[in-house]
Amino acid sequence: MEPIRMTGHFSKGKDGAESVSIIFSLNEAVGALAESLKIFKRHQVNLLHIESRSSIRVPGYEFIVEVDSSVGDVEGALDNIKQESSYFQIITRNYKENAEAVPWFPRKIQDLDKFANQILSYGSELESDHPGFTDPVYRARRKEFADIAFNYKHGTPIPRVNYTEQERGVWRVVFKNLTRLYKTHACYEHNHVFPLLEENCGYSEDDIPQLQVVSDFLKSVTGFQLRPVAGLLSSRDFLAGLAFRVFHSTQYIRHHTRPNYTPEPDVCHELLGHVPLFADPAFAQFSQEIGLASLGASDEYIEKLATCYWFTIEFGVTKQNGQLKAYGAGLLSSFGELEWCMSGKPELRTFDPEKTGEQKYPITEHQPVYFVTDSFESAKQKMIDFAATIPRPFGVRYDPYTETIQLLDSKRQIQKLITNINSEIRTLIDAFNKF
């Protein structure tokens, strides 16, 4: 008998109620699905959604069933299926309550909709020390931006924002101050891409580029895309987006009274700091590797990966032609820290994910320590090697054709992938031999 492959995760249902989604593969026996669904009927469990697709693990089909976990004996139904399965695993947001569970993570790009609005701070609400806290006009404007993010769904165009003259004035100050430093302080890849952003996305000191225009450009060069977000996501959710080459980006801008300071990521940080590097293929792949490493990882490793993200994608520096250059967005969007990191005062260490992931760091002052990478390719390989040490009962792979995450947990599935890779290698060898 072929094994029944099943995973489940707890999430919010379409009406906001708690739900359980179960993914399982069955024999091609006639009526196998109907028999398995009877289990839920016997336990009086309501089904919210059913879909099917061809299984890549075993011969037959794969079924996805979402049930309302507030009605009926859901645990009893899962226990019945487990008794009939040779393999059973739960993937859930409530993984701490189940020793056998793996933390939930998105399996398809549309799943990002499930957590995109679960922000930890800011959004339309501001902390008392925020420069715009006592400004009712600014707070109302932030509410407008938050509404755009809250209503956004994957696959729909990002709404265009008509920025005010005051907002464009803030952008102008930041743009001018930063661009005068890029030639001497930014890495080659950033400076190489920036003219392309000016040509294709309307980057200039006069207006703030639209996220959809920028996202379309990134999609065309590296497959990365932007998605609006109202504030800070948890590290687990934010990193999961990178696995799909999706970057959650803010649209609001810092308060006009403090153009040189922001206590949170804003559109200046996203468009001037992050976007140029996401247009570089090697950096895009390195970023995605951090995201893939986070899928199904424990809280301990999520913290390590988030720290690696902080010291690379946010505050990374690299050596190019014997000179120190910045590639982290936190540096490239802050001219004060951009100058500081090159001043010779902070400590420089070699990037090593195992050691870097343990380093503590301040979030409200310049970094006392920076980690140096030899190249994005080198950093990517180090991250792949580190990901291999993360305890998970499966490997993960992103399928760009279907925009889904494949769990690598069966020999049959991996053999198919090896066959496909061998075919691609043969195509490359044939092309190479033509020269």
Side-chain angles (χ1 to χ4, degrees), residues 297-308:
S298 66
D299 289 349
E300 175 189 358
Y301 279 92
I302 288 294
E303 184 176 355
K304 291 181 179 181
L305 290 168
T307 302
C308 287

Side-chain angles (χ1 to χ4, degrees), residues 272-307:
L272 297 175
H274 281 294
V275 164
L277 272 298
F278 283 136
D280 177 77
F283 183 85
Q285 192 166 0
F286 166 67
S287 303
Q288 185 177 28
E289 289 299 336
I290 295 181
L292 289 170
S294 76
L295 302 181
S298 66
D299 289 349
E300 175 189 358
Y301 279 92
I302 288 294
E303 184 176 355
K304 291 181 179 181
L305 290 168
T307 302

Side-chain angles (χ1 to χ4, degrees), residues 187-221:
C187 66
Y188 166 80
E189 291 80 2
H190 184 280
N191 288 332
H192 176 73
V193 168
F194 208 83
L196 299 177
L197 294 171
E198 292 176 316
E199 180 180 346
N200 294 280
C201 303
Y203 271 50
S204 75
E205 65 181 57
D206 298 321
D207 205 0
I208 304 173
Q210 296 293 322
L211 288 196
Q212 186 61 59
V213 174
V214 176
S215 184
D216 290 342
F217 173 75
L218 289 178
K219 183 79 170 176
S220 71
V221 292

